[in-house]
Amino acid sequence: MRAVTWHGKHDIRVDTVPDPKIVNPHDIIIKTTATAICGSDLHLYDGMIPTMVPGDIMGHEFMGEVVEVGPEVANLKVGDRVVNPFTIACGQCHHCKSSFYSACENSNPSDKAPMMEALYGYAGSGLFGYSHMMGGYAGGQAEYVRIPFGNVGPIKIPAGLDDEQVLFLSDIFPTAYQAAENCNIQKGDTIAVWGLGPVGQLCVKSCFLLGAERVIAIDHRTKRLEMAKASGADVISFEEVRVNEALTEMTGGRGPDHCIDCVGLEAHGWAADNVLDFVKTTLKLSFDRPHVLREAIVACKPGGTLSIPGVYGGLLDKVPFGAAFGKGLTFKMGQTNMHKYLAPLLERILKGEIDPSFIISHRLSLEDAPSGFKNFHDHQDEWTKVVLRPQ
């Protein structure tokens, strides 16, 4: 089969690789009908995430048609159309039974888990197409994919919905929704959202779905700001104003009730700490550029929540933790507990409350993935979301 593979920093190829096979009785194989390039894939593209190996198959946002079913999978059959969550969970361990699927104790293989334990002090769930410390699983930017625990993860899609309406149930819609839900939004709340990539755009929508009175969206790319404004948000360009001063003025001196960091470890900009972060990461003295995290801590009102769906990878420098302590902020973050959101968010799509496909800007064949990665990386204003069609 053909698959998108990683070969190093900024080196993405489409190779012919062996077809996947049923390995365990709970596996299924799907024929991929749609897959996407995620913003977090760009961290792999930039070489920011360790333990990638040349030839690894990329991609964790995907869906398709079931073509083979292991003997212990009773809820799916050949021909079913499914969306698959990017996290891999067994459904039986302590964390899964607590709906904390992203910390599944059984999906990160024993020969891979020690790498994550050494870096983070625990071994989380396996992820599709996202490094060997997170399980080393082949990703979904391929013609076919093996899905472990097929009786737990994939959700069947009813007739009448096209792929693009439901594809983002695989990651970014639940990720955005969990980030908004983490804020415990109350009537009248104002939420500030940093970063208007695909997750940020869906986060704006999710905040309104959950009852926010006002959302203030922060970025510097014109089209992304326009997209957020079309969703009902007030917008700030960080290249035109000082963000914290603008947020203070827009909230009557109080600050946003809650803040959401949809940027993560690769924050860009020309503030003094941005430049220092860039120098330190270039010299390998640090791994993350947490400018947005710092800014959100200072901006958030006392007693507020800082929700962090943006990916961080290492040790953070010069985080104003004294301000967070003094304000009594609540931090909520982490990989999305995908499995708890698939059914309720599918229901919202079915009811017409949201159509996540509004974020798609480009549709390419699987063979065009290398150019898709480059353009998504280099032209993020025009390339808001890329969908790949393998078949």
Side-chain angles (χ1 to χ4, degrees), residues 106-143:
N106 294 321
S107 62
N108 199 341
S110 59
D111 62 329
K112 308 288 185 180
M115 290 185 265
M116 194 168 180
E117 289 173 345
L119 287 169
Y120 298 132
Y122 86 114
S125 69
L127 306 183
F128 287 97
Y130 216 81
S131 83
H132 285 260
M133 70 178 179
M134 296 179 180
Y137 289 95
Q141 292 172 9
E143 292 182 304

Side-chain angles (χ1 to χ4, degrees), residues 14-83:
V14 181
D15 294 331
T16 298
V17 302
D19 290 350
K21 299 181 183 300
I22 296 286
V23 175
N24 295 307
H26 50 65
D27 290 348
I28 67 171
I29 305 293
I30 69 166
K31 177 175 70 175
T32 308
T33 57
T35 182
I37 302 174
C38 184
S40 56
D41 286 333
L42 296 183
H43 301 319
L44 303 178
Y45 184 72
D46 284 333
M48 301 292 288
I49 304 296
T51 72
M52 289 293 288
V53 174
D56 282 349
I57 298 175
M58 297 283 288
H60 55 269
E61 290 183 307
F62 60 95
M63 63 177 295
E65 178 184 331
V66 178
V67 295
E68 192 173 352
V69 176
E72 291 186 11
V73 178
N75 61 325
L76 296 173
K77 64 182 185 302
V78 172
D80 282 343
R81 183 165 159 253
V82 298
V83 171

Side-chain angles (χ1 to χ4, degrees), residues 242-372:
R242 293 181 180 273
V243 172
N244 282 343
E245 291 178 5
L247 287 171
T248 299
E249 182 177 348
M250 294 170 76
T251 58
R254 185 184 65 185
D257 295 290
H258 310 290
C259 296
I260 303 178
D261 171 7
C262 293
V263 177
L265 62 87
E266 289 191 81
H268 295 277
W270 294 104
D273 66 314
N274 278 122
V275 175
L276 180 60
D277 286 341
F278 181 78
V279 171
K280 292 184 72 173
T281 54
T282 300
L283 296 174
K284 306 298 183 185
L285 299 175
S286 183
F287 296 99
D288 296 53
R289 304 198 294 266
H291 168 77
V292 166
L293 182 64
R294 300 182 189 114
E295 195 164 73
I297 289 171
V298 174
C300 196
K301 78 163 191 181
T305 297
L306 178 51
S307 176
I308 310 170
V311 173
Y312 285 90
L315 304 176
L316 306 187
D317 188 24
K318 295 180 173 57
V319 173
F321 212 77
F325 175 83
K327 290 183 174 184
L329 300 184
T330 296
F331 284 60
K332 299 200 76 172
M333 66 196 84
Q335 296 286 8
T336 312
N337 294 304
M338 292 288 300
H339 300 59
K340 68 181 285 188
Y341 292 106
L342 295 180
L345 294 186
L346 176 59
E347 186 65 23
R348 285 191 179 271
I349 294 171
L350 284 166
K351 288 180 178 179
E353 296 175 0
I354 185 171
D355 180 354
S357 66
F358 78 94
I359 62 174
I360 299 171
S361 60
H362 292 77
R363 298 161 176 86
L364 305 175
S365 72
L366 194 73
E367 298 296 327
D368 292 327
S371 65

